[in-house]
Amino acid sequence: MDSFPASAALRDLLASCLKFSGAPSVVDMDGTRRLAHGLGLTEGQAMRVLLARGIWPERFLRSRESVSEETLLRLLSSRVLIAGCGGLGGHLAALLARSGIGCLVLCDPDIFEESNLNRQRFCTEKTLGHPKVEACRDGLREMASYLEVQALPWEL
């Protein structure tokens, strides 16, 4: 994963994905997906390969003032376990996903009930009666497609 193939076709692909808005070089979501597909990597792996070369995913560009490339690489390589996807766990999962965590393992045996609607991040009228881990996983994938999510209906 760390070695970036040097073929002319892949160099051209990379060049077509870069957005030059000054320093640093930036790749948007579509470019990251095209690179991942072209390299046979996941989106998260492609982001790490690019970031290691000073090329920032556009979604994290505004974090440059407070997060170094090294720190973002560490976040994208990190795996976090969250026990419970309700009031606290769901909000925490969303914040971690937006901050750049690479993998979340979600554990919760419960389903969403109507009394959860006013306080739990991934509880909606559509998710009532559904397992919390599945609704949380699906919501996280919508906000951070690069994120690896494992949903386990386990009690911890």
Side-chain angles (χ1 to χ4, degrees), residues 72-85:
L72 185 53
L73 272 168
R74 204 170 323 133
L75 284 169
L76 287 166
S77 300
S78 295
R79 183 178 190 90
V80 175
L81 169 71
I82 297 180
C85 297

Side-chain angles (χ1 to χ4, degrees), residues 12 16 28 43 51 94 103 142 149:
D12 292 344
S16 74
D28 65 13
E43 287 180 47
L51 197 58
C103 177
E142 287 184 25
V149 183

